[in-house]
Amino acid sequence: MSNSQQVHSVSGQSQESLDDAEKGIYDSTLVLTAPPPFVYTSQGRSTHPSLLLSPVSPVHEGITPCTSVPELALSKPSKSEVSHVEVVEEPVKKPAPIKPKISRWILFELWFNVYRRFFTFVILFNFVGIVLAATGRFKYAENHLGALVLGNLLCAILMRNELFVRFLYMLAIYGLRSWAPLRVKLAVNSVLQHLGGVHSGCALSGAAWLVYKIVDIIRYRAVQHPAVIASGIVTNIFIIISVLSAFPWVRNTYHNAFEKHHRFIGWLGLAMTWVFVIMGNTYDIKRGEWRTDTHSLLSAQELWFAVFMTVFVLIPWVTLREVPVEVEIPSPKVAVLKFERGMQQGLLGRISRTSIMEYHAFGIISEGRKATHHYMICGVQGDFTRNLVANPPKTVWTRQLKFAGVGHASAMYKRGIRICTGTGIGAALSTCIQSSDWFLIWIGSDQERTFGPTITGLIKKHIEPERMILWDSKKRGGRPDSVQLLKDTWKSFGAEVIFITSNMQGNDEMMQGCRAAGLHAFGTLWDF
């Protein structure tokens, strides 16, 4: 399941939802915003400060390398130093800009996104099918209830399978980027990003069809073998537990419990599905005996659905490896993990200290496929990431088959903006490193000290000063007006699309502002 973009005010955001590397951006001082850099003039008159978002070179404070515009101190120079200029000063603190009121229609559109539309459509479509089957108006369901169950579950598995989703992204990127109009690319991008709605809807619908099938079997228990009924009930229990464990409250509150039940009970459910399919298709209810020929089993749709379900569940796990890792700890807030081999941009990887438990996903930073290494930035947030800093591992377990994030679709567009906050740089940086057509905006707190020389070195090496804005909220006294920053950059850079990687509050604020301004943006997704 994926993504509720809920609305929160800036002052109401709980710091518990932020990792340590982001807390400096949303602290209590944010009711005040620091001014932009001073503007010097030789005319002896006041000028309004600006961010100088021009194609030449924006003013970057903090860690921006090699900027063509000098970094200016906030203290007033001596007369001997600037006798021919006048310094225009502003107070260090000024009231934060008043946020524009967002219409209810925009808020509803962002809430009822493509994910929820997919989920609603799939649920209603299957609900109508169940009603028609119950009233005797769905002839296919009378003889193929098992196929309806397994067809939904197979579709749910495909929507979360790394190989299948990578294949869909490949078709979209290579099939659309050279000729398709922007609106087509945006529509396809939205579909790819929100495939989780199909996953959730099909999983819940499959469970519903399974309940219906078991009820139907029990109704005719006089002619059905008790072993078939028992296997169906056990399968039903396993599948329902696996589905319920993925509900947002369980996932967000008890992550380890979710992982155990969703994965291991799900695997038991798949095993029992095989038992149920084989027994159900080899017992002849008309004769009241077990069939000995294999033709009836091999010709059953349910068998082949079960085969493909098993194959797609196994594919990611057969690529599981224990790999060496180097851990750099630039600050107590962050661990930077270094792995061998290069990667495409826009991919994410799952890592764990054990082979089958407690996997966590992080964005991958790489200079390209031919690079010797790639990196993951792990911000301290929970026990797993905290332990990476306190007790750095020599090896970790990971699936060599990586999965595509929404940023992977950036290759479809001519020019775009990648904006991120804090550790979101881990998911955003590869796009801007590997393509000169993408502009990076990184809002963070003391980035160079927090994230260390490896990350800042990659930025200095691959991204020109005129193609990035690095906003140090610690030096500037707070975060910027991110929506205005995006508007200015959109116009000066000629962008087609914006990808946002931020926490929930920052994501909501930018998505609402972009939608109101008519900018095409894709934000971070959360489970609902």
Side-chain angles (χ1 to χ4, degrees):
M1 300 183 181
S2 184
N3 178 352
S4 171
Q5 296 171 326
Q6 303 173 12
V7 181
H8 296 282
S9 65
V10 172
S11 60
Q13 171 68 22
S14 168
Q15 292 193 24
E16 294 178 358
S17 65
L18 313 179
D19 62 41
D20 287 351
E22 286 187 315
K23 288 181 180 176
I25 308 172
Y26 293 94
D27 59 18
S28 58
T29 65
L30 290 188
V31 293
L32 303 173
T33 304
F38 292 138
V39 177
Y40 289 82
T41 174
S42 60
Q43 304 299 322
R45 57 187 173 83
S46 297
T47 60
H48 296 288
S50 70
L51 290 175
L52 299 178
L53 291 170
S54 66
V56 181
S57 179
V59 176
H60 304 314
E61 290 190 352
I63 66 171
T64 306
C66 306
T67 175
S68 61
V69 178
E71 186 180 32
L72 305 178
L74 292 180
S75 58
K76 183 176 180 179
S78 64
K79 291 183 178 180
S80 62
E81 293 174 317
V82 288
S83 57
H84 63 290
V85 299
E86 177 182 341
V87 181
V88 180
E89 297 189 33
E90 287 191 20
V92 175
K93 297 179 180 180
K94 68 177 183 179
I98 299 175
K99 292 183 179 180
K101 185 177 178 61
I102 305 298
S103 71
R104 292 184 178 180
W105 175 247
I106 289 178
L107 295 178
F108 174 75
E109 278 189 318
L110 291 174
W111 179 83
F112 195 60
N113 54 21
V114 177
Y115 180 105
R116 285 187 166 89
R117 294 171 202 168
F118 275 150
F119 179 83
T120 303
F121 173 78
V122 171
I123 291 295
L124 290 178
F125 185 78
N126 279 278
F127 176 76
V128 170
I130 291 174
V131 171
L132 291 176
T135 56
R137 299 179 181 178
F138 190 5
K139 298 300 181 183
Y140 177 82
E142 292 181 8
N143 300 316
H144 300 284
L145 274 177
L148 292 169
V149 173
L150 299 184
N152 272 285
L153 295 180
L154 173 61
C155 188
I157 290 170
L158 284 175
M159 296 303 107
R160 281 289 187 255
N161 179 264
E162 289 88 337
L163 184 62
F164 182 75
V165 174
R166 287 279 294 275
F167 174 72
L168 294 181
Y169 269 92
M170 184 183 70
L171 287 180
I173 292 169
Y174 292 104
L176 299 178
R177 67 181 177 184
S178 61
W179 67 270
L182 180 59
R183 61 180 181 179
V184 173
K185 295 178 182 178
L186 294 170
V188 172
N189 200 157
S190 187
V191 169
L192 292 173
Q193 185 187 21
H194 296 95
L195 287 174
V198 181
H199 166 79
S200 304
C202 286
L204 199 56
S205 298
W209 276 110
L210 186 57
V211 171
Y212 180 84
K213 180 173 176 62
I214 298 305
V215 170
D216 187 67
I217 289 176
I218 293 175
R219 283 174 57 198
Y220 299 101
R221 59 186 179 275
V223 296
Q224 190 60 265
H225 196 282
V228 177
I229 298 175
S231 65
I233 292 174
V234 173
T235 303
N236 210 328
I237 292 172
F238 285 154
I239 296 297
I240 290 174
I241 291 175
S242 181
V243 169
L244 292 180
S245 67
F247 272 54
W249 180 81
V250 180
R251 292 192 63 168
N252 298 333
T253 309
Y254 306 102
H255 180 269
N256 288 343
F258 146 74
E259 195 171 18
K260 291 176 183 177
H261 289 81
H262 195 64
R263 179 173 301 153
F264 299 123
I265 300 298
W267 288 350
L268 288 174
L270 179 58
M272 285 305 304
T273 297
W274 273 99
V275 174
F276 187 37
V277 167
I278 292 173
M279 294 181 69
N281 283 277
T282 55
Y283 184 73
D284 190 337
I285 58 174
K286 294 180 179 179
R287 297 181 179 181
E289 60 184 27
W290 300 97
R291 298 189 185 100
T292 56
D293 64 291
T294 58
H295 174 74
S296 60
L297 181 61
L298 293 176
S299 61
Q301 298 177 23
E302 292 85 350
L303 176 71
W304 297 107
F305 278 127
V307 168
F308 286 111
M309 284 172 60
T310 305
V311 169
F312 282 105
V313 165
L314 289 177
I315 283 175
W317 291 97
V318 297
T319 69
L320 186 65
R321 300 288 186 276
E322 186 177 17
V323 298
V325 61
E326 297 177 23
V327 182
E328 175 187 336
I329 305 175
S331 71
K333 302 176 181 180
V334 170
V336 179
L337 278 58
K338 180 180 179 181
F339 300 85
E340 296 178 354
R341 77 187 178 111
M343 294 281 179
Q344 291 176 275
Q345 60 83 31
L347 300 181
L348 297 94
R350 295 183 176 95
I351 60 171
S352 174
R353 286 180 179 264
T354 64
S355 57
I356 58 173
M357 274 298 299
E358 199 176 355
Y359 276 85
H360 297 264
F362 299 96
I364 293 173
I365 300 174
S366 177
E367 296 169 277
R369 291 180 178 177
K370 297 181 180 179
T372 56
H373 296 88
H374 66 273
Y375 305 87
M376 290 183 182
I377 295 178
C378 306
V380 172
Q381 190 170 11
D383 292 339
F384 178 80
T385 49
R386 191 175 296 112
N387 197 32
L388 289 177
V389 173
N391 182 26
K394 298 294 183 182
T395 62
V396 295
W397 288 87
T398 185
R399 303 177 197 176
Q400 299 290 69
L401 180 61
K402 310 303 180 185
F403 65 100
V406 64
H408 197 53
S410 63
M412 285 198 298
Y413 302 96
K414 295 178 181 177
R415 288 171 82 80
I417 301 169
R418 206 65 167 85
I419 184 169
C420 58
T421 61
T423 53
I425 188 68
L429 187 53
S430 271
T431 298
C432 300
I433 285 177
Q434 296 184 29
S435 173
S436 59
D437 296 321
W438 280 79
F439 192 103
L440 174 67
I441 301 177
W442 184 19
I443 304 168
S445 177
D446 200 6
Q447 292 111 311
E448 187 167 20
R449 180 176 297 177
T450 302
F451 293 87
T454 297
I455 302 305
T456 55
L458 288 170
I459 293 174
K460 291 178 183 179
K461 181 180 178 182
H462 295 283
I463 306 178
E464 306 82 13
E466 61 270 19
R467 203 162 54 83
M468 63 176 161
I469 296 173
L470 308 182
W471 185 285
D472 188 337
S473 60
K474 184 175 182 180
K475 289 185 177 181
R476 291 179 180 246
R479 67 189 181 96
D481 183 343
S482 53
V483 175
Q484 187 60 47
L485 199 59
L486 286 170
K487 291 178 184 178
D488 294 338
T489 309
W490 177 278
K491 183 177 180 181
S492 65
F493 192 67
E496 290 183 327
V497 68
I498 298 168
F499 286 116
I500 301 167
T501 306
S502 183
N503 53 63
M504 187 176 289
Q505 177 187 322
N507 178 83
D508 290 345
E509 180 182 307
M510 287 184 269
M511 285 295 293
Q512 292 164 18
C514 288
R515 182 63 63 91
L519 310 182
H520 310 303
F522 294 92
T524 309
L525 302 184
W526 287 274
D527 297 331
F528 73 84

